[in-house]
Amino acid sequence: MKQKAIFLTPADFNVPFAIKSIGITYKDSNYRIHRDLDKSYIYVIEYVISGRGVVNTPNGTFYPSGGDSYFLRANEVHDFYSDPSDPMEKLWVTV
């Protein structure tokens, strides 16, 4: 998986949420992320620049493609991956 990421330190004051990391994931036909409950403590917002993928959540399976965005909740198992024939390039933020 080829990506660039910036990890941020939350501010010391009380805020409703803080950005933990931001980045870009480049096209990779083998790209796959799976988060179990013990690793799903972050919210994820992603914007698909190009390509196609599959997102599995407790609420169903979705098929994002270029121009789509999606939100993954904390404390839920989720699994997402690129379509090997047209891998996603995407921007992401974790909070």
Side-chain angles (χ1 to χ4, degrees):
M1 165 176 43
K2 184 175 178 184
Q3 65 181 12
K4 287 185 182 177
I6 298 172
F7 296 92
L8 308 168
T9 303
D12 291 331
F13 51 90
N14 188 16
V15 294
F17 68 90
I19 294 174
K20 297 184 179 179
S21 61
I22 58 175
I24 183 169
T25 301
Y26 298 104
K27 291 179 177 271
D28 179 351
S29 59
N30 296 313
Y31 176 78
R32 183 179 200 110
I33 299 290
H34 176 81
R35 289 195 181 96
D36 288 316
L37 283 178
D38 63 338
K39 294 190 176 154
S40 184
Y41 54 88
I42 57 174
Y43 293 91
V44 181
I45 302 164
E46 301 202 338
Y47 172 74
V48 180
I49 298 167
S50 63
R52 296 179 301 170
V54 179
V55 178
N56 294 306
T57 74
N59 296 317
T61 300
F62 307 93
Y63 301 91
S65 60
D68 291 340
S69 59
Y70 54 91
F71 176 80
L72 299 173
R73 296 178 183 163
N75 304 311
E76 286 187 351
V77 173
H78 51 260
D79 173 62
F80 50 100
Y81 53 94
S82 276
D83 178 327
S85 65
D86 188 12
M88 292 187 290
E89 181 172 35
K90 57 193 182 66
L91 302 171
W92 48 266
V93 176
T94 63
V95 293

